[in-house]
Amino acid sequence: MTENYTYAAAYVKVLEKNMLTDSDYRELIQSSGSNEILQMLEKKEYSGDNLGDALENELEKTWNTCLELCGADALSALITENDFHNIKAVIKAELSGADYSELILRPTGIDPNKLSGAVHSGDYSDLDSATADLCRRTVQIYSETNSAQLL
């Protein structure tokens, strides 16, 4: 256990050079537009064709680092929270005819495409039983009330 902690602490220390500081945040706030923000983030080794991609890529790198250092079991509560968000987002999008792809949080324990297909077809057999039951009830509540708050 001590070796894992020591490794994780040393690894995070190496990553700190690319973390945003208070002065970086102030500079970002005072920037004149997304191109200037992207240039500043590239100095911190963020990468992407645009600001959205750069932030998405950095989030993915952060999750991968956390999963590598802590393991999925230690982060399962956070991943489950993403899954609940994704279920709600997919159901709202499917029932309103919108695209859910921009609403998905990662990492996720439930494949969003599988979830979307199940909601769209009403066939939840490809999902585990707990998720299928949750989706059925959620679709029913949202269909009857059209209230995202109840979800």
Side-chain angles (χ1 to χ4, degrees):
M1 182 70 163
T2 304
E3 293 126 16
N4 290 345
Y5 176 78
T6 303
Y7 171 77
Y11 191 74
V12 169
K13 191 71 173 164
V14 169
L15 297 175
E16 282 180 355
K17 70 178 174 56
N18 294 328
M19 292 181 183
L20 298 175
T21 64
D22 286 344
S23 64
D24 292 327
Y25 285 119
R26 282 191 284 281
E27 193 175 340
L28 288 170
I29 290 169
Q30 295 172 354
S31 68
S32 61
S34 60
N35 287 334
E36 187 177 337
I37 292 171
L38 187 57
Q39 289 173 353
M40 292 182 337
L41 292 176
E42 285 173 349
K43 291 177 189 173
K44 291 289 190 174
E45 298 186 12
Y46 284 53
S47 63
D49 295 334
N50 56 51
L51 185 55
D53 286 346
L55 295 174
E56 183 78 23
N57 292 341
E58 191 63 22
L59 181 61
E60 184 176 347
K61 284 186 343 188
T62 301
W63 270 108
N64 289 339
T65 300
C66 292
L67 288 166
E68 176 188 338
L69 295 176
C70 303
D73 289 345
L75 301 173
S76 64
L78 298 174
I79 294 170
T80 300
E81 187 176 331
N82 286 355
D83 288 338
F84 280 115
H85 165 85
N86 292 344
I87 288 169
K88 179 179 175 179
V90 166
I91 289 171
K92 286 174 60 177
E94 280 296 327
L95 296 180
S96 65
D99 179 24
Y100 66 87
S101 60
E102 295 292 319
L103 306 173
I104 298 300
L105 297 179
R106 303 206 188 282
T108 182
I110 304 168
D111 178 5
N113 294 325
K114 187 187 281 189
L115 183 59
S116 174
V119 171
H120 187 76
S121 69
D123 178 11
Y124 302 99
S125 60
D126 284 345
L127 304 174
D128 66 82
S129 63
T131 303
D133 290 342
L134 177 64
C135 287
R136 257 193 232 70
R137 287 191 321 224
T138 305
V139 166
Q140 180 182 1
I141 290 169
Y142 190 68
S143 296
E144 291 172 358
T145 65
N146 204 28
S147 171
Q149 293 301 317
L150 292 176
L151 301 183

